[in-house]
Amino acid sequence: MREQGGRQLNVSGVLRHLGVSRSGYNTWKNRIPSNREQRKNKIKDKICDIYDESHQNYGAPKIAKKLKEEGETISEKTVGNYMREMGLKAQWIKPYTITTIDSDFST
């Protein structure tokens, strides 16, 4: 591990500073992901694919609708939370507003 300043950190020192045992760290590092975590990662991949297909325009409601069409059981709120975790945000296009004044000032 290398710190930004160029100083090299050793794992033992970091674990001691955090108060974590080496065996606990190794157990955590080698842990097999749970079914829930695997499903979450699979859905996150699908959300990214749909988001990119829409040219980053779709938000949680449309993505949730697409996922439901594909057979996934998921709520709009969950899709929104996953998008927030991944840093995805739908583009909001400001509605066009007329700002010029008619050149005929007689009315």
Side-chain angles (χ1 to χ4, degrees):
M1 295 171 65
R2 190 168 286 282
E3 201 176 307
Q4 282 186 352
R7 198 172 117 201
Q8 188 167 355
L9 300 174
N10 64 354
V11 176
S12 299
V14 173
L15 293 176
R16 191 172 35 254
H17 180 72
L18 295 173
V20 177
S21 68
R22 181 177 282 278
S23 62
Y25 167 72
N26 287 327
T27 303
W28 170 80
K29 193 170 75 172
N30 298 324
R31 184 175 297 149
I32 299 169
S34 65
N35 292 340
R36 184 179 184 180
E37 193 174 351
Q38 289 174 354
R39 180 178 184 269
K40 183 176 182 177
N41 290 333
K42 186 178 80 169
I43 288 178
K44 280 185 172 184
D45 290 340
K46 287 184 178 183
I47 288 172
C48 280
D49 292 341
I50 294 169
Y51 182 73
D52 289 336
E53 282 176 18
S54 73
H55 303 288
Q56 302 174 350
N57 287 326
Y58 283 5
K62 284 187 180 178
I63 291 177
K65 186 178 177 186
K66 283 269 195 184
L67 286 171
K68 286 177 185 176
E69 288 172 3
E70 292 177 7
E72 290 288 341
T73 306
I74 192 163
S75 70
E76 184 180 314
K77 178 77 174 170
T78 305
V79 172
N81 289 338
Y82 289 172
M83 287 180 70
R84 195 174 308 109
E85 286 177 16
M86 295 184 292
L88 303 179
K89 212 176 203 180
Q91 293 180 6
W92 183 73
I93 300 170
K94 186 175 179 182
Y96 178 74
T97 322
I98 299 173
T99 57
T100 54
I101 303 172
D102 188 15
S103 60
D104 182 19
F105 293 113
S106 61
T107 53

Short mmCIF file of all heavy atoms in Angstrom, two decimals, residues 19-66:
data_model
loop_
_atom_site.label_atom_id
_atom_site.label_comp_id
_atom_site.label_asym_id
_atom_site.label_seq_id
_atom_site.Cartn_x
_atom_site.Cartn_y
_atom_site.Cartn_z
N GLY A 19 -7.48 -1.37 14.74
CA GLY A 19 -7.94 -2.27 15.78
C GLY A 19 -8.55 -3.55 15.24
O GLY A 19 -9.49 -4.10 15.81
N VAL A 20 -8.01 -4.03 14.11
CA VAL A 20 -8.53 -5.23 13.47
C VAL A 20 -7.45 -6.30 13.52
O VAL A 20 -6.26 -6.01 13.30
CB VAL A 20 -8.90 -4.94 11.99
CG1 VAL A 20 -9.38 -6.19 11.29
CG2 VAL A 20 -9.94 -3.85 11.92
N SER A 21 -7.85 -7.53 13.81
CA SER A 21 -6.88 -8.62 13.84
C SER A 21 -6.53 -9.04 12.41
O SER A 21 -7.33 -8.88 11.49
CB SER A 21 -7.44 -9.82 14.61
OG SER A 21 -8.51 -10.40 13.90
N ARG A 22 -5.33 -9.61 12.25
CA ARG A 22 -4.90 -10.06 10.93
C ARG A 22 -5.80 -11.19 10.42
O ARG A 22 -6.18 -11.22 9.25
CB ARG A 22 -3.45 -10.52 10.98
CG ARG A 22 -2.91 -10.98 9.64
CD ARG A 22 -1.45 -11.35 9.75
NE ARG A 22 -0.58 -10.19 9.76
CZ ARG A 22 -0.20 -9.54 8.65
NH1 ARG A 22 -0.62 -9.93 7.48
NH2 ARG A 22 0.61 -8.52 8.74
N SER A 23 -6.18 -12.11 11.33
CA SER A 23 -7.04 -13.22 10.91
C SER A 23 -8.43 -12.71 10.50
O SER A 23 -9.02 -13.21 9.54
CB SER A 23 -7.18 -14.25 12.04
OG SER A 23 -7.80 -13.66 13.17
N GLY A 24 -8.94 -11.71 11.20
CA GLY A 24 -10.24 -11.12 10.83
C GLY A 24 -10.17 -10.45 9.47
O GLY A 24 -11.10 -10.56 8.66
N TYR A 25 -9.06 -9.75 9.20
CA TYR A 25 -8.86 -9.10 7.90
C TYR A 25 -8.81 -10.14 6.79
O TYR A 25 -9.46 -9.99 5.75
CB TYR A 25 -7.59 -8.26 7.92
CG TYR A 25 -7.15 -7.79 6.56
CD1 TYR A 25 -7.85 -6.80 5.90
CD2 TYR A 25 -6.03 -8.36 5.93
CE1 TYR A 25 -7.45 -6.37 4.63
CE2 TYR A 25 -5.63 -7.94 4.68
CZ TYR A 25 -6.34 -6.95 4.04
OH TYR A 25 -5.95 -6.53 2.80
N ASN A 26 -8.04 -11.21 7.00
CA ASN A 26 -7.91 -12.24 5.97
C ASN A 26 -9.24 -12.96 5.73
O ASN A 26 -9.57 -13.31 4.60
CB ASN A 26 -6.82 -13.24 6.34
CG ASN A 26 -5.43 -12.65 6.18
OD1 ASN A 26 -5.21 -11.83 5.30
ND2 ASN A 26 -4.50 -13.05 7.03
N THR A 27 -9.99 -13.21 6.81
CA THR A 27 -11.30 -13.83 6.67
C THR A 27 -12.22 -12.95 5.84
O THR A 27 -12.93 -13.40 4.94
CB THR A 27 -11.94 -14.10 8.05
OG1 THR A 27 -11.05 -14.90 8.81
CG2 THR A 27 -13.28 -14.78 7.93
N TRP A 28 -12.21 -11.64 6.11
CA TRP A 28 -13.05 -10.68 5.38
C TRP A 28 -12.63 -10.63 3.90
O TRP A 28 -13.47 -10.62 3.01
CB TRP A 28 -12.93 -9.29 6.00
CG TRP A 28 -13.54 -8.22 5.18
CD1 TRP A 28 -14.87 -7.90 5.09
CD2 TRP A 28 -12.86 -7.33 4.31
NE1 TRP A 28 -15.04 -6.86 4.21
CE2 TRP A 28 -13.81 -6.48 3.72
CE3 TRP A 28 -11.52 -7.15 3.97
CZ2 TRP A 28 -13.50 -5.49 2.81
CZ3 TRP A 28 -11.19 -6.15 3.07
CH2 TRP A 28 -12.18 -5.34 2.50
N LYS A 29 -11.32 -10.63 3.66
CA LYS A 29 -10.81 -10.51 2.30
C LYS A 29 -11.16 -11.74 1.45
O LYS A 29 -11.45 -11.61 0.26
CB LYS A 29 -9.28 -10.34 2.35
CG LYS A 29 -8.67 -9.91 1.04
CD LYS A 29 -7.23 -9.52 1.22
CE LYS A 29 -6.39 -10.76 1.39
NZ LYS A 29 -4.94 -10.49 1.38
N ASN A 30 -11.19 -12.91 2.06
CA ASN A 30 -11.44 -14.15 1.33
C ASN A 30 -12.90 -14.60 1.39
O ASN A 30 -13.21 -15.70 0.95
CB ASN A 30 -10.54 -15.27 1.86
CG ASN A 30 -9.08 -14.95 1.67
OD1 ASN A 30 -8.70 -14.35 0.66
ND2 ASN A 30 -8.25 -15.30 2.62
N ARG A 31 -13.76 -13.76 1.95
CA ARG A 31 -15.17 -14.14 2.12
C ARG A 31 -15.86 -14.27 0.77
O ARG A 31 -15.67 -13.45 -0.14
CB ARG A 31 -15.88 -13.08 2.96
CG ARG A 31 -17.31 -13.41 3.28
CD ARG A 31 -17.94 -12.41 4.22
NE ARG A 31 -17.22 -12.42 5.50
CZ ARG A 31 -17.08 -11.37 6.29
NH1 ARG A 31 -17.58 -10.22 5.93
NH2 ARG A 31 -16.43 -11.46 7.41
N ILE A 32 -16.69 -15.29 0.65
CA ILE A 32 -17.48 -15.49 -0.57
C ILE A 32 -18.72 -14.60 -0.47
O ILE A 32 -19.38 -14.58 0.57
CB ILE A 32 -17.90 -16.98 -0.70
CG1 ILE A 32 -16.66 -17.87 -0.80
CG2 ILE A 32 -18.81 -17.18 -1.90
CD1 ILE A 32 -16.96 -19.34 -0.67
N PRO A 33 -19.05 -13.86 -1.54
CA PRO A 33 -20.22 -12.98 -1.47
C PRO A 33 -21.52 -13.76 -1.28
O PRO A 33 -21.68 -14.86 -1.82
CB PRO A 33 -20.23 -12.26 -2.82
CG PRO A 33 -19.14 -12.83 -3.62
CD PRO A 33 -18.35 -13.78 -2.80
N SER A 34 -22.43 -13.19 -0.49
CA SER A 34 -23.71 -13.84 -0.22
C SER A 34 -24.60 -13.78 -1.45
O SER A 34 -24.33 -13.05 -2.41
CB SER A 34 -24.41 -13.14 0.95
OG SER A 34 -24.74 -11.82 0.59
N ASN A 35 -25.69 -14.55 -1.42
CA ASN A 35 -26.64 -14.54 -2.54
C ASN A 35 -27.22 -13.15 -2.75
O ASN A 35 -27.42 -12.70 -3.88
CB ASN A 35 -27.78 -15.53 -2.28
CG ASN A 35 -27.30 -16.97 -2.32
OD1 ASN A 35 -26.25 -17.25 -2.89
ND2 ASN A 35 -28.04 -17.85 -1.70
N ARG A 36 -27.49 -12.46 -1.64
CA ARG A 36 -28.05 -11.12 -1.73
C ARG A 36 -27.07 -10.16 -2.41
O ARG A 36 -27.45 -9.36 -3.26
CB ARG A 36 -28.36 -10.65 -0.31
CG ARG A 36 -29.02 -9.31 -0.23
CD ARG A 36 -29.31 -8.99 1.22
NE ARG A 36 -30.03 -7.75 1.33
CZ ARG A 36 -30.41 -7.22 2.47
NH1 ARG A 36 -30.16 -7.84 3.59
NH2 ARG A 36 -31.05 -6.09 2.51
N GLU A 37 -25.80 -10.26 -2.02
CA GLU A 37 -24.78 -9.39 -2.62
C GLU A 37 -24.58 -9.71 -4.10
O GLU A 37 -24.38 -8.82 -4.93
CB GLU A 37 -23.47 -9.55 -1.86
CG GLU A 37 -22.45 -8.49 -2.19
CD GLU A 37 -21.21 -8.57 -1.30
OE1 GLU A 37 -21.22 -9.34 -0.33
OE2 GLU A 37 -20.25 -7.86 -1.61
N GLN A 38 -24.63 -11.01 -4.46
CA GLN A 38 -24.50 -11.40 -5.86
C GLN A 38 -25.65 -10.85 -6.68
O GLN A 38 -25.45 -10.34 -7.80
CB GLN A 38 -24.45 -12.92 -5.97
CG GLN A 38 -23.18 -13.54 -5.46
CD GLN A 38 -23.22 -15.05 -5.45
OE1 GLN A 38 -24.24 -15.66 -5.74
NE2 GLN A 38 -22.09 -15.67 -5.12
N ARG A 39 -26.89 -10.93 -6.14
CA ARG A 39 -28.06 -10.40 -6.85
C ARG A 39 -27.95 -8.88 -7.01
O ARG A 39 -28.24 -8.33 -8.07
CB ARG A 39 -29.35 -10.74 -6.10
CG ARG A 39 -30.59 -10.21 -6.78
CD ARG A 39 -31.87 -10.61 -6.03
NE ARG A 39 -33.05 -10.18 -6.75
CZ ARG A 39 -33.66 -9.01 -6.57
NH1 ARG A 39 -33.20 -8.16 -5.68
NH2 ARG A 39 -34.72 -8.69 -7.28
N LYS A 40 -27.48 -8.22 -5.94
CA LYS A 40 -27.31 -6.76 -5.99
C LYS A 40 -26.33 -6.37 -7.09
O LYS A 40 -26.58 -5.44 -7.86
CB LYS A 40 -26.84 -6.26 -4.63
CG LYS A 40 -26.71 -4.77 -4.53
CD LYS A 40 -26.32 -4.36 -3.11
CE LYS A 40 -26.23 -2.86 -2.98
NZ LYS A 40 -25.92 -2.44 -1.61
N ASN A 41 -25.21 -7.08 -7.18
CA ASN A 41 -24.21 -6.78 -8.21
C ASN A 41 -24.76 -7.04 -9.61
O ASN A 41 -24.48 -6.27 -10.54
CB ASN A 41 -22.93 -7.58 -7.97
CG ASN A 41 -22.19 -7.12 -6.74
OD1 ASN A 41 -22.29 -5.96 -6.35
ND2 ASN A 41 -21.45 -8.02 -6.12
N LYS A 42 -25.54 -8.11 -9.76
CA LYS A 42 -26.13 -8.43 -11.06
C LYS A 42 -27.11 -7.33 -11.48
O LYS A 42 -27.09 -6.87 -12.64
CB LYS A 42 -26.85 -9.78 -10.98
CG LYS A 42 -27.38 -10.29 -12.29
CD LYS A 42 -28.04 -11.65 -12.13
CE LYS A 42 -29.44 -11.41 -11.60
NZ LYS A 42 -30.31 -12.58 -11.61
N ILE A 43 -27.93 -6.86 -10.53
CA ILE A 43 -28.89 -5.81 -10.84
C ILE A 43 -28.18 -4.50 -11.13
O ILE A 43 -28.58 -3.75 -12.02
CB ILE A 43 -29.92 -5.67 -9.70
CG1 ILE A 43 -30.85 -6.89 -9.72
CG2 ILE A 43 -30.72 -4.39 -9.82
CD1 ILE A 43 -31.88 -6.91 -8.64
N LYS A 44 -27.11 -4.21 -10.39
CA LYS A 44 -26.34 -2.99 -10.66
C LYS A 44 -25.77 -2.99 -12.07
O LYS A 44 -25.75 -1.96 -12.74
CB LYS A 44 -25.21 -2.83 -9.64
CG LYS A 44 -25.66 -2.27 -8.31
CD LYS A 44 -24.46 -2.05 -7.42
CE LYS A 44 -24.82 -1.32 -6.16
NZ LYS A 44 -23.65 -1.02 -5.32
N ASP A 45 -25.31 -4.17 -12.54
CA ASP A 45 -24.81 -4.28 -13.91
C ASP A 45 -25.92 -3.99 -14.91
O ASP A 45 -25.71 -3.28 -15.91
CB ASP A 45 -24.21 -5.66 -14.16
CG ASP A 45 -22.91 -5.89 -13.42
OD1 ASP A 45 -22.27 -4.89 -13.03
OD2 ASP A 45 -22.53 -7.07 -13.24
N LYS A 46 -27.11 -4.54 -14.65
CA LYS A 46 -28.25 -4.29 -15.55
C LYS A 46 -28.63 -2.82 -15.55
O LYS A 46 -28.95 -2.25 -16.60
CB LYS A 46 -29.45 -5.14 -15.13
CG LYS A 46 -29.31 -6.61 -15.45
CD LYS A 46 -30.58 -7.36 -15.09
CE LYS A 46 -30.49 -8.82 -15.44
NZ LYS A 46 -31.74 -9.54 -15.17
N ILE A 47 -28.60 -2.19 -14.37
CA ILE A 47 -28.93 -0.76 -14.27
C ILE A 47 -27.95 0.05 -15.10
O ILE A 47 -28.34 0.95 -15.85
CB ILE A 47 -28.93 -0.30 -12.79
CG1 ILE A 47 -30.15 -0.87 -12.06
CG2 ILE A 47 -28.94 1.23 -12.70
CD1 ILE A 47 -30.14 -0.63 -10.56
N CYS A 48 -26.66 -0.28 -15.00
CA CYS A 48 -25.64 0.44 -15.80
C CYS A 48 -25.88 0.27 -17.29
O CYS A 48 -25.75 1.24 -18.05
CB CYS A 48 -24.25 -0.05 -15.44
SG CYS A 48 -23.59 0.66 -13.94
N ASP A 49 -26.23 -0.94 -17.70
CA ASP A 49 -26.48 -1.20 -19.12
C ASP A 49 -27.67 -0.38 -19.63
O ASP A 49 -27.59 0.26 -20.68
CB ASP A 49 -26.74 -2.68 -19.37
CG ASP A 49 -25.50 -3.54 -19.14
OD1 ASP A 49 -24.38 -2.97 -19.15
OD2 ASP A 49 -25.66 -4.77 -18.96
N ILE A 50 -28.76 -0.39 -18.88
CA ILE A 50 -29.96 0.37 -19.28
C ILE A 50 -29.66 1.86 -19.28
O ILE A 50 -30.07 2.59 -20.19
CB ILE A 50 -31.15 0.04 -18.35
CG1 ILE A 50 -31.57 -1.43 -18.52
CG2 ILE A 50 -32.33 0.96 -18.62
CD1 ILE A 50 -32.54 -1.91 -17.47
N TYR A 51 -28.94 2.32 -18.28
CA TYR A 51 -28.58 3.75 -18.15
C TYR A 51 -27.73 4.19 -19.35
O TYR A 51 -27.96 5.25 -19.92
CB TYR A 51 -27.82 3.95 -16.85
CG TYR A 51 -27.42 5.36 -16.53
CD1 TYR A 51 -28.35 6.31 -16.14
CD2 TYR A 51 -26.09 5.76 -16.61
CE1 TYR A 51 -27.98 7.60 -15.82
CE2 TYR A 51 -25.69 7.04 -16.31
CZ TYR A 51 -26.65 7.97 -15.91
OH TYR A 51 -26.27 9.25 -15.61
N ASP A 52 -26.77 3.36 -19.75
CA ASP A 52 -25.91 3.70 -20.88
C ASP A 52 -26.66 3.61 -22.21
O ASP A 52 -26.42 4.41 -23.11
CB ASP A 52 -24.68 2.81 -20.91
CG ASP A 52 -23.71 3.14 -19.77
OD1 ASP A 52 -23.75 4.28 -19.27
OD2 ASP A 52 -22.93 2.24 -19.39
N GLU A 53 -27.58 2.64 -22.35
CA GLU A 53 -28.39 2.53 -23.57
C GLU A 53 -29.25 3.78 -23.77
O GLU A 53 -29.51 4.17 -24.90
CB GLU A 53 -29.30 1.31 -23.49
CG GLU A 53 -28.63 0.00 -23.78
CD GLU A 53 -29.57 -1.18 -23.60
OE1 GLU A 53 -30.80 -0.97 -23.60
OE2 GLU A 53 -29.06 -2.31 -23.46
N SER A 54 -29.68 4.38 -22.67
CA SER A 54 -30.54 5.56 -22.76
C SER A 54 -29.72 6.84 -22.91
O SER A 54 -30.27 7.93 -22.82
CB SER A 54 -31.41 5.67 -21.51
OG SER A 54 -30.65 6.08 -20.40
N HIS A 55 -28.43 6.71 -23.12
CA HIS A 55 -27.51 7.86 -23.22
C HIS A 55 -27.55 8.69 -21.95
O HIS A 55 -27.55 9.93 -22.00
CB HIS A 55 -27.82 8.72 -24.45
CG HIS A 55 -27.76 7.95 -25.73
ND1 HIS A 55 -26.59 7.53 -26.28
CD2 HIS A 55 -28.75 7.49 -26.54
CE1 HIS A 55 -26.84 6.86 -27.40
NE2 HIS A 55 -28.15 6.82 -27.58
N GLN A 56 -27.66 8.01 -20.82
CA GLN A 56 -27.64 8.60 -19.47
C GLN A 56 -28.82 9.52 -19.23
O GLN A 56 -28.72 10.48 -18.46
CB GLN A 56 -26.31 9.31 -19.23
CG GLN A 56 -25.12 8.40 -19.38
CD GLN A 56 -23.80 9.12 -19.28
OE1 GLN A 56 -23.75 10.34 -19.28
NE2 GLN A 56 -22.73 8.35 -19.22
N ASN A 57 -29.95 9.23 -19.86
CA ASN A 57 -31.15 10.05 -19.69
C ASN A 57 -32.15 9.45 -18.71
O ASN A 57 -32.88 10.19 -18.07
CB ASN A 57 -31.86 10.27 -21.03
CG ASN A 57 -31.11 11.24 -21.91
OD1 ASN A 57 -30.48 12.17 -21.44
ND2 ASN A 57 -31.15 11.00 -23.21
N TYR A 58 -32.19 8.13 -18.60
CA TYR A 58 -33.20 7.48 -17.76
C TYR A 58 -32.87 7.63 -16.29
O TYR A 58 -31.73 7.51 -15.88
CB TYR A 58 -33.30 5.99 -18.09
CG TYR A 58 -34.05 5.65 -19.34
CD1 TYR A 58 -34.53 6.64 -20.20
CD2 TYR A 58 -34.31 4.34 -19.68
CE1 TYR A 58 -35.21 6.31 -21.35
CE2 TYR A 58 -34.99 4.00 -20.83
CZ TYR A 58 -35.44 5.00 -21.65
OH TYR A 58 -36.12 4.67 -22.79
N GLY A 59 -33.92 7.84 -15.50
CA GLY A 59 -33.79 7.87 -14.05
C GLY A 59 -34.34 6.58 -13.47
O GLY A 59 -34.66 5.62 -14.19
N ALA A 60 -34.50 6.57 -12.16
CA ALA A 60 -34.94 5.37 -11.46
C ALA A 60 -36.31 4.86 -11.93
O ALA A 60 -36.49 3.66 -12.09
CB ALA A 60 -34.95 5.62 -9.96
N PRO A 61 -37.31 5.73 -12.16
CA PRO A 61 -38.62 5.21 -12.58
C PRO A 61 -38.58 4.42 -13.89
O PRO A 61 -39.13 3.32 -13.98
CB PRO A 61 -39.49 6.46 -12.72
CG PRO A 61 -38.83 7.49 -11.88
CD PRO A 61 -37.37 7.18 -11.94
N LYS A 62 -37.91 4.97 -14.89
CA LYS A 62 -37.86 4.29 -16.19
C LYS A 62 -36.99 3.04 -16.13
O LYS A 62 -37.31 2.03 -16.75
CB LYS A 62 -37.34 5.24 -17.27
CG LYS A 62 -38.37 6.25 -17.72
CD LYS A 62 -37.87 7.04 -18.90
CE LYS A 62 -38.90 8.07 -19.33
NZ LYS A 62 -38.41 8.86 -20.45
N ILE A 63 -35.90 3.10 -15.38
CA ILE A 63 -35.03 1.93 -15.26
C ILE A 63 -35.75 0.82 -14.51
O ILE A 63 -35.68 -0.35 -14.89
CB ILE A 63 -33.69 2.30 -14.58
CG1 ILE A 63 -32.88 3.20 -15.52
CG2 ILE A 63 -32.90 1.05 -14.21
CD1 ILE A 63 -31.58 3.70 -14.95
N ALA A 64 -36.49 1.17 -13.47
CA ALA A 64 -37.26 0.17 -12.72
C ALA A 64 -38.30 -0.48 -13.63
O ALA A 64 -38.51 -1.70 -13.58
CB ALA A 64 -37.93 0.81 -11.51
N LYS A 65 -38.93 0.32 -14.47
CA LYS A 65 -39.94 -0.21 -15.40
C LYS A 65 -39.29 -1.19 -16.38
O LYS A 65 -39.84 -2.26 -16.65
CB LYS A 65 -40.59 0.95 -16.15
CG LYS A 65 -41.74 0.55 -17.03
CD LYS A 65 -42.38 1.76 -17.70
CE LYS A 65 -43.47 1.33 -18.63
NZ LYS A 65 -44.02 2.45 -19.40
N LYS A 66 -38.11 -0.82 -16.90
CA LYS A 66 -37.40 -1.71 -17.84
C LYS A 66 -37.01 -3.02 -17.15
O LYS A 66 -37.13 -4.09 -17.74
CB LYS A 66 -36.13 -1.03 -18.36
CG LYS A 66 -36.37 0.00 -19.41
CD LYS A 66 -36.29 -0.67 -20.75
CE LYS A 66 -36.16 0.39 -21.82
NZ LYS A 66 -36.16 -0.20 -23.14
#
